[in-house]
Amino acid sequence: MNKRETATLLTHAAEMAMRYVSEASERRVAPAEAALAALQRFHEPFPESGCNPEEVLAMLDEIGSPATVATTGGRYFGFVNGATLPASLAANWLAGAWDQNAALRIMSPVAAELEEVVIRWVCEALGLPLDCHGGLVTGATMANFTSLAAARYALLAREGWNVVEDGLFDAPPIEVMVGAEVHASLLKALNMLGMGRKRVTLVEADGQGRMRAEKLPKLSPRAIVCIQAGNVNTGAFDPAAPICDAAHEHGAWVHVDGAFGFWAGASPRYRHLWNGFEKADSWATDAHKWPNVSYDCGLAIVRNGEALRACMGISAAYLSPGTRREPMHHTPESSRRARGVEFWAALKSLGRSGLAELVQRTCAHAQRFAAGLRAAGFDVLNDVVINQVLVSFGDASKTQEVIRRVQEEGTCWCGGTVWQGKTAMRISVSSWATTDADVDQSLAAILRAARGSGD
Ligand SMILES: Cc1ncc(COP(=O)(O)O)c(C=O)c1O
């Protein structure tokens, strides 16, 4: 393609994307059956010869766009998926054109610089020490992995064991404590680190999923205590202050899985929930959830930067160690995309007050849902402390039927779960784009599905 053809192609891509963005809040949230069926058209034998990029793009828009889930509109309440802020999306386009490899400063000075800025801004917003270190990863799963790798390294190093050099064979055992309502991805991170899902001690949790601090077993200096800021079902926060105090008294490491709840700490109104979490040793969070940064973007923050670099850093003759922070020495990946660009754009466009307001607004929407569901006589199972609502419409089959109808009808999208033995519909308000009108429209659709599903 010559320059003019390339410019035309990019203009067409921008037009398609703008149309998609403007329609996302109007269309049904889950794709229609016909759109799903059309995906079969992608399944052709690997073409012998190439295709004009204009045709490639047209096919992607024609088949791909309708088969997306409209998570960027205001009526997607599934999982804890954030939308994308306009500044983040726009930055994503520009960053796509830049196509930077964020591994090393010399490969991308701008990527390296923006990473430093966002990590510092996040620490400022959350009241974490400004000399913490961090890395931008795919999501909270890898942020948990990265932080826990640093924890494992630091605790074993204190015992005189270098896990980077000597591995885990014959290493002094590490003990790991997690709450009974730990997120499954944290267990996956432990398993990838050779610390075994079944080897953990499960600490009793209460009816909201909060770890019971008084049930923590006796801690040793070789213990990692994993606590949660925001349970994926209820949004509940573990009692961080007493847990951190008890753990640190014995030299243990406290790690926080704050995939989305972390961001409540950026809001003066919800700051009380964050109380004590700032005392931890490491934190994992997602920027693609509550802050509405484009997918994918997670963040690991570790107080002990030396431990992080010891287990994530690599050296080779052709890799200069650099004199400043080098991104690749803080994450499992070496080559990777420049996630800091969209992250910076989102935070710069929001500012501290905008971030707090985003948290508060989405929590208010969750309260609006809960009030409407209670008023209609349905059982809200959780204390709606942040942006998560769990609602039961009766027994398991009735609730599952309501969820099925809601998803099929298309006004909004909510998923299901089983909370401490009870089947529930989960409503997670994580999109900047959700309005009061979206909540009312979605509530009406949910109530129609509930009333129409029979008893
Ligand atoms: C508490 C918690 N931890 C970890 C994760 C995993 O996040 P990701 O899918 O971004 O890796 C989630 C996802 O919802 C979560 O809620």
Side-chain angles (χ1 to χ4, degrees):
M1 290 198 115
N2 62 31
K3 268 190 186 171
R4 196 176 49 79
E5 289 165 337
T6 305
T8 307
L9 176 73
L10 292 180
T11 305
H12 288 158
E15 284 164 2
M16 288 167 186
M18 285 186 293
R19 198 190 60 234
Y20 181 86
V21 168
S22 80
E23 289 173 359
S25 52
E26 314 299 330
R27 56 165 269 194
R28 53 174 288 122
V29 176
E33 280 300 323
L36 296 178
L39 288 171
Q40 282 310 315
R41 288 175 53 201
F42 283 129
H43 292 276
E44 55 177 338
F46 185 20
E48 190 52 46
S49 50
C51 177
N52 181 313
E54 283 284 1
E55 282 173 44
V56 172
L57 185 70
M59 187 171 171
L60 207 49
D61 190 40
E62 188 196 331
I63 307 176
S65 294
T68 55
V69 176
T71 52
T72 59
R75 285 176 276 103
Y76 180 80
F77 307 107
F79 305 95
V80 192
N81 287 353
T84 176
L85 285 164
S88 175
L89 173 59
N92 175 278
W93 290 3
L94 187 56
W98 290 350
D99 191 30
Q100 297 289 279
N101 184 339
L104 288 170
R105 186 172 291 271
I106 200 160
M107 289 180 186
S108 181
V110 62
E113 211 67 45
L114 290 177
E115 283 198 7
E116 269 188 45
V117 173
V118 289
I119 292 167
R120 183 170 51 80
W121 281 2
V122 170
C123 290
E124 281 177 25
L126 275 291
L128 304 181
L130 297 185
D131 56 356
C132 281
H133 299 257
L136 297 187
V137 290
T138 48
T141 304
M142 286 311 290
N144 280 323
F145 173 88
T146 305
S147 307
L148 291 166
R152 185 186 65 173
Y153 174 87
L155 298 191
L156 289 177
R158 215 164 45 195
E159 302 282 315
W161 187 270
N162 185 335
V163 71
V164 171
E165 299 297 333
D166 301 317
L168 284 175
F169 304 102
D170 302 323
I174 293 276
E175 298 157 25
V176 183
M177 279 99 200
V178 302
E181 294 292 350
V182 61
H183 194 270
S185 70
L186 190 127
L187 298 178
K188 176 173 166 178
L190 288 169
N191 123 43
M192 290 192 291
L193 287 161
M195 297 200 279
R197 290 170 202 253
K198 281 195 183 157
R199 291 282 301 272
V200 302
T201 302
L202 279 189
V203 183
E204 204 178 305
D206 67 13
Q208 295 298 316
R210 292 172 293 228
M211 185 190 278
R212 287 188 188 278
E214 73 280 9
K215 298 284 183 183
L216 261 183
K218 201 170 169 304
L219 295 169
S220 84
R222 271 189 271 115
I224 304 173
V225 185
C226 300
I227 58 175
Q228 229 175 192
N231 174 278
V232 72
N233 284 303
T234 63
F237 288 65
D238 288 341
I243 295 173
C244 287
D245 291 345
H248 289 155
E249 196 181 316
H250 297 96
W253 178 294
V254 182
H255 169 68
V256 177
D257 177 0
F260 60 103
F262 179 89
W263 302 98
S267 149
R269 194 176 303 159
Y270 291 94
R271 180 83 193 174
H272 59 283
L273 295 169
W274 181 247
N275 184 30
F277 282 95
E278 76 289 349
K279 296 182 178 188
D281 301 282
S282 56
W283 303 264
T285 191
D286 268 320
H288 57 221
K289 289 192 166 72
W290 226 350
N292 281 245
V293 172
S294 318
Y295 274 87
D296 53 32
C297 189
L299 172 62
I301 305 179
V302 178
R303 211 178 267 274
N304 180 345
E306 222 175 284
L308 179 62
R309 277 186 298 276
C311 47
M312 295 297 154
I314 58 172
S315 64
Y318 73 99
L319 296 171
S320 148
T323 52
R324 296 179 58 193
R325 177 185 181 278
E326 290 294 346
M328 74 183 281
H329 299 318
H330 298 80
T331 58
E333 308 93 340
S334 299
S335 293
R336 62 182 165 83
R337 70 184 201 91
R339 298 190 176 93
V341 180
E342 297 105 322
F343 199 172
W344 172 85
L347 294 183
K348 176 80 175 163
S349 78
L350 289 169
R352 288 179 78 138
S353 61
L355 181 60
E357 207 269 326
L358 172 59
V359 166
Q360 287 156 202
R361 183 158 34 95
T362 42
C363 290
H365 289 323
Q367 290 292 349
R368 194 177 179 99
F369 266 119
L373 291 162
R374 280 195 207 102
F378 298 113
D379 201 7
V380 173
L381 304 181
N382 64 320
D383 296 340
V384 182
V385 287
I386 47 171
N387 59 341
Q388 306 293 116
V389 183
L390 294 181
V391 57
S392 157
F393 297 96
D395 62 18
S397 63
K398 164 103 197 224
T399 300
Q400 279 157 358
E401 176 59 12
V402 176
I403 295 167
R404 193 193 63 73
R405 283 169 176 248
V406 166
Q407 293 179 357
E408 187 182 82
E409 192 266 346
T411 299
C412 64
W413 200 97
C414 305
T417 190
V418 178
W419 176 246
Q420 299 190 342
K422 201 149 190 197
T423 300
M425 186 168 89
R426 289 177 68 227
I427 302 173
S428 169
V429 191
S430 308
S431 166
W432 72 276
T434 302
T435 61
D436 281 349
D438 285 319
V439 175
D440 293 345
Q441 199 184 336
S442 303
L443 197 49
I446 294 168
L447 296 182
R448 273 197 309 277
R451 289 182 181 131
S453 69
D455 281 308

